[in-house]
Amino acid sequence: MGVFYFIVALLALASSVGFAYDPSPLQDFCVAINDTKTGVFVNGKFCKDPKLANADDFFFQGLGPGNTSNPLGSKVTPVTVNEILGLNTLGISLARVDFAPKGLNPPHTHPRGTEILVVLEGTLYVGFVSSNQDNNRLFTKVLNKGDVFVFPIGLIHFQLNVGYGEAIAIAGLSSQNPGVITIANAVFGSKPPISLEVLTKAFQVDKNVIDYLQKQFWYNNS
Ligand SMILES: *[C@@H]1O[C@H](CO)[C@@H](O)[C@H](O)[C@H]1NC(C)=O
Ligand SMILES: *[C@@H]1O[C@H](CO)[C@@H](O)[C@H](O)[C@H]1NC(C)=O
């Protein structure tokens, strides 16, 4: 009997250790303040009195279509905690992605969310690249209407419209605020620019190649 209680106590301890964790970041950063009087941000958002919540706190109207008349031929319309305040702390959001013919949702990552995408219209060539540890393998698929594909959290991924007409997809994301880092925009369009010395060495190219890339206008489609 003593052994039984000992094991139960041990399991209880193990599970409390195993399930105790800090809240994940819910925005890019949440720098601590020293003086609480000046604090206005938390990890996530402040909550209103639950008794004051109503249906509109959980509602969003008119999801798209996004305007795809832009250099990428794609538009992402996010529905995150910034659009539906009731999503705060719930760990979920979505986005609609519209594609013109040949439109591209360029290589990007979501630092805080896995994505599951369903094609509503058209045909998309999609892919993601695994991490260095997995040798940066490319996983791709051509998706037709009704097909679903998963982009694991943090991995670089893209979607290209390879059909004849427009394409529409809906993406579910496992964060109230998954975030987006578009690779080209972050690397070549940062403000201020990353130094030539860093980028020429990183990409092993001549500095006028980097100079050329940094002079481009990196459109943000989301
Ligand atoms: C925070 O405030 C204390 C007391 O004023 C000060 O000693 C400390 O250096 C501050 N810490 C930082 C990181 O600014
Ligand atoms: C779509 O965007 C283009 C380029 O900014 C603009 O000229 C056009 O009026 C927009 N169309 C709609 C329907 O808003």
Side-chain angles (χ1 to χ4, degrees), residues 13 24 30 50 76 111 136 170 206:
L13 182 68
S24 302
C30 187
V76 178
N136 302 129
I170 299 284
D206 199 77

Side-chain angles (χ1 to χ4, degrees), residues 2-188:
V3 171
F4 173 76
Y5 284 117
F6 176 71
I7 289 170
V8 169
L10 207 63
L11 285 174
L13 182 68
S15 65
S16 72
V17 170
F19 293 113
Y21 55 87
D22 288 339
S24 302
L26 294 169
Q27 55 235 347
D28 282 359
F29 30 74
C30 187
V31 179
I33 47 130
N34 227 354
D35 177 4
T36 50
K37 287 195 287 294
T38 64
V40 285
F41 293 105
V42 293
N43 186 22
K45 296 191 184 294
F46 285 118
C47 314
K48 72 154 98 166
D49 180 348
K51 290 189 197 69
L52 301 178
N54 61 63
D56 283 335
D57 293 326
F58 303 93
F59 177 70
F60 177 87
Q61 194 166 38
L63 179 57
N67 186 344
T68 59
S69 301
N70 61 59
L72 292 168
S74 75
K75 187 72 189 176
V76 178
T77 309
V79 186
T80 67
V81 70
N82 300 314
E83 288 77 28
I84 299 183
L85 293 168
L87 283 176
N88 194 31
T89 75
L90 297 183
I92 195 169
S93 60
L94 67 75
R96 169 177 170 150
V97 194
D98 288 276
F99 300 84
K102 299 192 164 61
L104 173 71
N105 192 13
H108 64 279
T109 86
H110 303 293
R112 291 175 292 278
T114 288
E115 172 173 340
I116 182 164
L117 179 117
V118 56
V119 176
L120 300 188
E121 288 299 337
T123 304
L124 296 176
Y125 167 72
V126 307
F128 68 82
V129 179
S130 68
S131 71
N132 298 12
Q133 186 183 311
D134 188 61
N135 246 348
N136 302 129
R137 284 193 297 148
L138 174 66
F139 295 69
T140 66
K141 202 84 178 167
V142 173
L143 306 180
N144 292 300
K145 184 173 177 166
D147 291 348
V148 176
F149 198 73
V150 173
F151 306 99
I153 183 169
L155 301 186
I156 294 178
H157 60 282
F158 57 83
Q159 297 114 20
L160 175 68
N161 183 1
V162 291
Y164 293 105
E166 298 180 340
I168 305 170
I170 299 284
L173 292 136
S174 62
S175 168
Q176 68 179 36
N177 183 24
V180 187
I181 301 168
T182 306
I183 307 306
N185 303 37
V187 175
F188 300 114

